[in-house]
């Protein structure tokens, strides 16, 4: 269960991206390539070393700055710890074992909220009465956690009972109080200091509406969010008359807005470069007002939004992608970079700029100085639109003489980021350049960028973006055109099949992981599931319609099939590795196996591996290690890379039990 905490009294409300401002680069690719060629060649690291399991997670500082709580992971067991902020003070274990996977502080710093997949618990580090289960999730009323109360200790829960949705506050001792009730589904809320729902986001047919509480206690509609407009409630303004919203109600990019009870919208902050959505928002825990906004575009930047904050940021020396959570006395800083395999957390004094190490999750990690950097860049598509992407190259090598691997992200309505990637780092360490296109339809670059695909997810505009990006890099002297490959999972696997069967002959090999062979058929299958892809009460069917992919449109279905790898199966003549998942909940395994069988009948150079017990997106470290081995071996055979080391004994045993080659 993943809960996105948005407000100040919660653990992760302010623990969001903080990116350093850097000078504008006329040519980020040229600058990056020059810097990488000047670096020494990295040593070859063991393949399994690129897969690391976290030792510490959900690290959060108390609002009063007195201490930092975190979950420590030992094998499959989680324990809860409290590290006092005072220098030299030892950490104290609060719970030897917990089912919680996320934790959060109450605003008064007296309570920790522990969030597990099936329950919410309250714990007083001081031993105050009331610790225990606050609510059990699921059940016949589908009770689910919506958020945490930013002002009073407790969780906000939504219950579906009969024809109504009820919003409850559950606090210490399991005490429950009704906050709001509606005949329409409640999907978001902003709570006032009085404990009442000041603004509520509801599902209204095929749109969302935000309603505000009036002085007499009733609610009136403030605004409607239509056609996938984003309008997420962040909290109530300090004066109590408005709400902070993260959304694109005033423009094409996600920004920070103020929404008043009379419907007035005021822009608080948006990307000055007009390139990307707001990525991170840090809130002042005393007032609830936005304190810092950060953006992760071609030129990462951060901005102070409160008096004095900009001056503090200007004199601090932070890593480009550090993450920050503020308290009344200190800032908790987490290092964040593509080359950081683990995490380090520091306490920072904003007055003096002094910073000291608090927690280190980086024992036996790979050295950052030997790993690959990531540069964000853009290129002009053939229709003139600027398309975005990420690139990593092997340090100390001539980029024109190395193989180029294009990795296409899944979704397709998602995006890659510049955080650590085991696959990217392994391939670069083995001497490959890695290109990750953020084709139109990707998120993070504004609503118009996502809609620009206009449903052309066959062998059309989206696929051209991906292949044109590869050609752009090859033309710039990045990658050997005779040794280029493509791979991806889910939609990325579909794009791989497209590229290898559409006649472009751009790539010499491909790896398609859990790929739909017919994107239209798989989309219709998922839409009929009902629960798959549902977002804030909106079904996948509704989203697909807005994205020009209506599941019941015969013309769309016919076009997508005619352009599909399934329809062009006879054209597959490029070496291909297919990986299917036995418990795939998103792409039916029967469709992948059927496609593989057709390839075999036609004598295509393809092989299929079935990971018997894996889901669509595996989290099992052994499965990830196996996929990395298969990728390294595939590219060595067809791109002339270095010979991969044999699997370790434990991985060999796991593969023998868990993988089936067909």
């Amino acid at each position: 269960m993943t809960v996105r905490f948005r407000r100040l009294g919660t653990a992760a409300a302010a623990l969001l991206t903080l990116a350093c401002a850097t000078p504008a680069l006329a040519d980020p690719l040229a600058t990056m390539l020059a810097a990488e060629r000047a670096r020494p060649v990295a040593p070859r690291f063991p393949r399994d070393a690129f897969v690391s399991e976290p030792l510490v997670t959900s690290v959060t500082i108390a609002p009063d700055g007195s201490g930092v709580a975190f979950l420590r992971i030992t094998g499959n067991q989680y324990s809860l710890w409290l590290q006092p902020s005072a220098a030299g003070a030892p950490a104290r274990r609060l719970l030897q074992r917990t089912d919680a996977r996320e934790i959060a502080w109450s605003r008064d710093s007296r309570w920790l909220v522990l969030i597990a997949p099936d329950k919410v618990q309250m714990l007083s580090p001081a031993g105050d009465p009331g610790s225990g289960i606050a609510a059990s999730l699921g059940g016949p009323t589908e009770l689910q956690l919506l958020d945490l109360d930013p002002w009073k200790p407790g969780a906000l829960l939504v219950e579906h009972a009969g024809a109504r949705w009820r919003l409850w506050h559950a606090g210490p001792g399991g005490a429950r109080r009704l906050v709001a009730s509606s005949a329409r589904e409640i999907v978001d809320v902003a709570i006032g200091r009085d404990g009442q729902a000041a603004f509520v986001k509801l599902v209204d047919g095929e749109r969302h509406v935000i309603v505000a509480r009036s002085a007499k206690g009733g609610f009136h509609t403030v605004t409607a969010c239509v056609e996938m407009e984003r309008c997420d409630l962040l909290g109530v303004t300090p004066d109590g008359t408005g709400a902070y919203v993260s959304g694109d109600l005033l423009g094409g990019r996600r920004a920070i807005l103020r929404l008043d009870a009379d419907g007035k919208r005021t822009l608080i902050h948006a990307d000055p470069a007009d390139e990307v959505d707001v990525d991170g928002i840090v809130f002042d825990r005393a007032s609830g007002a936005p304190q810092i906004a950060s953006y992760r575009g071609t030129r990462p930047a951060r901005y102070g939004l409160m008096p004095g904050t900009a001056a503090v940021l200007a004199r601090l020396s932070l890593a480009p992608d550090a993450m920050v959570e503020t308290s009344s006395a200190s800032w908790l800083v987490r290092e964040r970079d593509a080359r950081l395999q683990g995490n380090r957390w520091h306490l920072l004094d904003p007055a003096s700029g002094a910073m000291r190490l608090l927690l280190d999750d980086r024992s036996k990690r790979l050295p950052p100085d030997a790993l690959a950097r990531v540069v964000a860049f853009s290129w002009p598509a053939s229709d003139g639109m600027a398309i975005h992407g990420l690139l990593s190259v092997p340090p100390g090598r001539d980029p024109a003489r190395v193989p180029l691997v294009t990795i296409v992200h899944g979704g397709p309505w998602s995006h890659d980021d510049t955080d650590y990637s085991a696959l990217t780092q392994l391939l670069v360490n083995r001497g490959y350049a890695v290109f990750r296109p953020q084709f139109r339809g990707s998120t993070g670059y504004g609503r118009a960028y996502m809609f620009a695909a206009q449903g052309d997810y066959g062998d059309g505009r989206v696929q051209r973006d991906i292949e044109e990006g590869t050609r752009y890099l090859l033309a710039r002297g990045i990658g050997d055109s005779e040794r280029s490959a493509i791979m991806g999972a889910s939609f990325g696997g579909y794009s791989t099949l497209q590229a290898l069967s559409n006649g472009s002959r751009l790539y010499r090999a491909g790896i398609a992981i859990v790929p739909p062979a017919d994107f239209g058929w798989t989309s219709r299958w998922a839409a009929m599931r009902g629960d798959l892809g549902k977002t804030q009460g909106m079904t996948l069917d509704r989203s697909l319609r807005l994205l020009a992919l209506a599941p019941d449109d015969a013309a769309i279905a016919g076009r997508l099939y005619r352009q599909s790898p399934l329809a062009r199966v006879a054209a597959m003549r490029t070496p291909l590795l297919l990986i299917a998942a036995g418990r795939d909940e998103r792409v039916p395994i029967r469709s992948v196996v059927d496609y593989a069988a057709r390839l075999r009948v036609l004598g295509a150079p393809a092989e299929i591996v079935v990971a018997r017990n894996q889901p669509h997106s595996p989290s099992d470290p052994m499965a990830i290690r196996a996929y990395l081995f298969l990728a390294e071996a595939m590219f060595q055979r067809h791109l002339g890379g270095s010979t991969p080391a044999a699997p370790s004994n434990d991985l060999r045993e796991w593969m023998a039990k868990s993988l089936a080659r067909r």
Side-chain angles (χ1 to χ4, degrees):
M1 178 180 200
T2 300
V3 179
R4 192 189 72 182
F5 302 119
R6 293 182 293 273
R7 287 178 279 279
L8 266 295
T10 67
L15 192 59
L16 297 171
T17 305
L18 182 68
C20 288
T22 57
L25 299 176
D27 189 343
L29 278 181
T31 302
M32 179 258 205
L33 292 173
E36 293 303 276
R37 290 196 67 171
R39 294 174 62 196
V41 175
R44 181 185 174 96
F45 297 113
R47 180 179 52 251
D48 290 350
F50 290 91
V51 181
S52 62
E53 298 180 67
L55 306 176
V56 174
T57 188
S58 198
V59 181
T60 176
I61 191 168
D64 63 6
S66 60
V68 172
F70 60 94
L71 295 172
R72 186 181 296 281
I73 308 171
T74 306
N76 294 321
Q77 181 174 313
Y78 286 66
S79 54
L80 176 65
W81 292 75
L82 178 62
Q83 172 67 63
S85 297
R92 177 164 62 102
R93 188 173 62 189
L94 301 179
L95 292 176
Q96 182 175 357
R97 193 181 194 97
T98 178
D99 295 331
R101 297 299 180 262
E102 296 178 77
I103 58 175
W105 285 100
S106 63
R107 185 174 181 270
D108 60 10
S109 302
R110 292 181 54 207
W111 294 91
L112 281 168
V113 185
L114 282 62
I115 301 149
D118 60 345
K119 60 181 174 289
V120 178
Q121 296 171 274
M122 304 289 295
L123 176 69
S124 167
D128 294 336
S131 294
I133 296 177
S136 296
L137 304 178
T141 61
E142 302 174 0
L143 190 68
Q144 59 181 304
L145 176 64
L146 181 63
D147 210 334
L148 302 185
D149 192 316
W151 310 111
K152 303 179 185 300
L156 300 171
L157 309 164
V158 173
E159 178 185 49
H160 184 198
R164 299 196 68 80
W165 278 263
R166 294 183 175 88
L167 178 65
W168 298 93
H169 176 280
R176 191 174 294 190
R177 171 175 56 85
L178 183 64
V179 177
S181 177
S182 174
R184 293 175 288 182
E185 184 175 358
I186 299 171
V187 294
D188 206 355
V189 65
I191 298 291
R193 291 175 182 262
D194 59 0
Q196 298 300 313
F199 292 81
V200 180
K201 182 176 172 181
L202 305 169
V203 177
D204 184 46
E206 293 198 347
R207 64 176 188 170
H208 288 122
V209 296
I210 295 178
V211 298
R213 181 163 53 93
S214 65
K216 295 183 179 180
F219 286 88
H220 62 277
T221 299
V222 175
T223 192
C225 315
V226 300
E227 296 184 344
M228 298 182 74
E229 285 182 324
R230 297 166 292 182
C231 51
D232 297 321
L233 293 167
L234 300 174
V236 175
T237 58
D239 61 11
T241 64
Y244 292 116
V245 173
S246 168
D248 47 25
L249 297 177
L250 283 177
R253 317 272 183 214
R254 181 185 286 272
I256 308 171
L257 316 173
R258 174 184 169 125
L259 178 65
D260 288 323
D262 61 1
K264 180 182 178 181
R265 305 170 182 179
T266 305
L267 178 66
I268 302 296
H269 204 270
D271 180 15
D274 196 28
E275 181 184 45
V276 293
D277 293 334
V278 62
D279 178 72
I281 309 168
V282 176
F283 289 87
D284 174 63
R285 285 177 135 167
S287 66
Q291 187 175 7
I292 303 169
S294 63
Y295 303 86
R296 301 181 78 186
T298 305
R299 186 178 69 90
R302 66 182 181 210
Y303 302 91
L305 308 182
M306 295 182 64
T309 302
V312 173
L313 294 175
R315 67 174 180 267
L316 295 180
S317 177
L318 295 177
D321 279 337
M323 298 177 75
V324 169
E325 183 181 13
T326 61
S327 74
S328 60
S330 303
W331 289 10
L332 179 66
V333 178
R334 193 197 89 181
E335 294 180 74
R336 179 178 184 178
D337 188 85
R339 296 171 295 164
L340 290 177
Q341 189 179 24
N343 296 305
R344 282 193 295 254
W345 288 268
H346 307 262
L347 280 182
L348 183 147
D349 182 350
S352 66
M355 189 162 63
R356 62 181 173 86
L357 180 65
L358 186 75
L359 291 170
D360 193 344
D361 185 28
R362 290 179 25 78
S363 61
K364 298 181 180 179
R365 307 292 190 183
L366 296 173
D369 290 345
L371 297 182
R373 294 185 173 95
V374 176
V375 66
F377 70 102
S378 62
W379 72 92
S382 55
D383 63 355
M385 183 174 175
I387 306 299
H388 302 279
L390 303 174
L391 177 69
S392 298
V393 298
R397 307 281 186 93
D398 179 357
R401 300 174 66 86
V402 303
L404 174 64
V405 177
T406 296
I407 302 178
V408 185
H409 69 70
W413 304 285
S414 63
H415 63 274
D416 281 319
D417 58 39
T418 56
D419 291 343
Y420 177 83
S421 162
L423 175 61
T424 296
Q425 292 294 351
L426 170 68
L427 291 177
V428 174
N429 185 256
R430 297 306 189 253
Y432 302 92
V434 174
F435 165 50
R436 292 181 286 167
Q438 313 278 58
F439 48 85
R440 73 189 72 191
S442 301
T443 57
Y445 298 91
R447 187 163 162 271
Y449 193 85
M450 184 179 70
F451 273 89
Q454 297 181 344
D456 200 2
Y457 288 97
D459 187 28
R461 187 65 260 175
V462 171
Q463 188 66 24
R464 286 198 293 274
D465 284 350
I466 294 165
E467 297 183 23
E468 287 173 4
T470 301
R471 290 192 172 91
Y472 175 82
L473 292 178
L474 293 172
R476 293 284 301 268
I478 302 168
D480 180 349
S481 61
E482 297 301 314
R483 295 189 295 160
S484 178
I486 185 170
M487 70 175 297
S490 195
F491 179 83
Y494 168 76
S495 174
T496 296
L497 299 182
Q498 287 282 20
L500 301 188
S501 61
N502 64 8
S504 66
R505 299 293 184 260
L506 177 61
Y507 305 103
R508 298 298 187 264
I511 301 175
I513 304 171
V514 293
D518 179 353
F519 180 68
W521 181 88
T522 304
S523 298
R524 293 192 299 277
W525 174 85
M528 287 189 295
R529 282 276 304 272
D531 59 329
L532 200 59
K534 189 174 183 180
T535 304
Q536 289 199 328
M538 294 297 178
T539 64
L540 178 61
D541 177 271
R542 179 255 189 190
S543 297
L544 290 173
R545 291 178 188 280
L546 293 174
L547 291 164
L549 290 168
D552 57 356
D553 189 309
I556 293 174
R559 171 177 59 83
L560 289 175
Y561 173 73
R562 289 190 299 273
Q563 296 180 358
S564 73
L566 183 61
R568 297 173 175 175
V569 65
M572 179 65 73
R573 288 293 178 266
T574 304
L576 168 69
L577 171 64
L578 281 166
I579 300 178
R583 293 194 295 107
D584 197 325
E585 71 283 9
R586 293 186 175 272
V587 177
I589 187 173
R590 66 180 184 273
S591 66
V592 184
V593 172
D594 172 76
Y595 179 72
R598 293 170 187 247
L599 290 175
R600 176 165 294 181
V601 168
L602 293 169
E607 63 175 318
I608 181 171
V609 174
V610 178
R612 294 189 181 95
N613 296 314
Q614 294 304 310
H616 187 72
S617 300
S619 58
D620 181 353
M622 295 299 290
I624 296 171
R625 288 169 59 189
Y627 289 9
L628 291 183
F629 167 72
L630 293 172
E632 187 180 5
M634 179 71 176
F635 292 146
Q636 184 275 326
R637 289 196 302 271
H638 299 289
L639 300 185
S642 57
T643 302
S648 58
N649 290 335
D650 63 336
L651 180 57
R652 186 183 298 110
E653 291 176 4
W654 186 91
M655 292 172 64
K657 294 178 181 178
S658 305
L659 300 184
R661 292 182 180 269
R662 298 187 178 183

